[in-house]
Amino acid sequence: MRSTDTPTHSAGPATDALGAIEVVEHSVEPRLKAGLLPLLAEADLLDSPAIWGSVATPAGAFRLEPVRPGRDLELLTGWMNDPEVAAYWELAGPAAVTAAHLRAQLDGDGRSIPCLGLLDGTPMSYWEIYRADLDPLSRHYPARPHDTGIHLLIGDGTNRGRGLGTTLLRAVADMVLGNRPRCTRVIAEPDIRNTPSVSAFLSSGFRCSAEIDLPEKRAALMIRERALRNLL
């Protein structure tokens, strides 16, 4: 996938953008929200979850690994064709359908990173870590700079219904907050019909802030606050 690191120049647009963002953040915050998010996107998107390392959970050691289509496409296509997954992800079909979904992120500017979730070294879930404040989702809620969103699915049906969703959501939210110091909130928007997913978010420290109408679904806006991290 394309690197999201900002190139280093002695002078140029990237340096100017960083300077502008610094000034606006400290002096005219409304301008940042209204006009400088594209510059912010260019200057500071997402680091790679690959460098976040492994975390211990009650279910085992868990880590995120960015997707490599050449290696992972067959596995992900199988998961997307599981009826329980397809009901909400709507990506059932041949490998080309899943490949196109991945390509839209991998060929983009780095604001969304598709990952495999590995538990004790075994791929068992799919995650998308994305900049919620730079996503179309931000039109539907009062976004803050560096809000970080997550999408997930548990790939193997044998891993569902055992509380793993709650365990892994807590772990990944902690990973986001631990590795993205400018992020104050982790955001998610599961379909309100997906009661197991909504329940897992609630059990892992998220609160339901609102119900919002998105183009493809009515969603529960779930938020986990950094300020409450040590209380959960």
Side-chain angles (χ1 to χ4, degrees):
M1 64 177 291
R2 291 172 54 183
S3 170
T4 60
D5 293 337
T6 302
T8 301
H9 302 286
S10 58
T15 305
D16 294 343
L18 285 168
I21 289 164
E22 190 72 20
V23 170
V24 172
E25 282 183 329
H26 286 85
S27 60
V28 192
E29 185 177 357
R31 284 185 56 207
L32 172 63
K33 293 179 180 177
L36 284 185
L37 281 179
L39 292 179
L40 182 60
E42 178 183 341
D44 183 11
L45 282 163
L46 287 167
D47 59 334
S48 174
I51 68 174
W52 293 357
S54 177
V55 296
T57 78
F62 181 79
R63 65 186 175 89
L64 293 173
E65 182 172 307
V67 165
R68 296 186 214 163
R71 177 194 64 188
D72 304 324
L73 182 58
E74 182 178 356
L75 175 65
L76 291 173
T77 300
W79 289 351
M80 294 300 181
N81 279 279
D82 181 304
E84 290 187 38
V85 173
Y88 298 105
W89 282 75
E90 300 181 348
L91 291 172
V97 175
T98 300
H101 179 77
L102 296 173
R103 192 178 307 114
Q105 297 173 82
L106 297 172
D107 292 347
D109 61 9
R111 70 183 64 189
S112 181
I113 301 177
C115 299
L116 288 180
L118 280 69
L119 190 61
D120 288 333
T122 300
M124 47 73 63
S125 54
Y126 171 72
W127 301 74
E128 292 172 354
I129 310 299
Y130 68 98
R131 281 287 299 272
D133 58 327
L134 305 180
D135 188 82
L137 174 64
S138 65
R139 303 170 193 153
H140 301 274
Y141 83 104
R144 298 178 190 169
H146 298 280
D147 278 354
T148 302
I150 55 177
H151 298 140
L152 81 150
L153 65 86
I154 304 296
D156 186 341
T158 62
N159 286 320
R160 300 180 199 136
R162 301 195 291 117
L164 265 180
T166 294
T167 296
L168 299 184
L169 279 169
R170 185 182 296 274
V172 171
D174 283 343
M175 292 167 76
V176 170
L177 295 172
N179 288 278
R180 295 190 50 72
R182 300 174 87 180
C183 169
T184 62
R185 305 187 303 179
V186 182
I187 307 293
E189 20 78 26
D191 192 308
I192 61 170
R193 299 170 300 164
N194 192 347
T195 52
S197 179
V198 173
S199 177
F201 277 104
L202 291 171
S203 298
S204 60
F206 287 76
R207 63 181 174 86
C208 184
S209 174
E211 291 185 8
I212 55 177
D213 288 313
L214 302 178
E216 70 282 5
K217 64 185 178 184
R218 184 163 178 80
L221 179 66
M222 312 299 295
I223 298 178
R224 185 170 173 191
E225 303 273 359
R226 173 182 293 279
L228 301 179
R229 182 181 179 195
N230 294 329
L231 302 179
L232 299 173

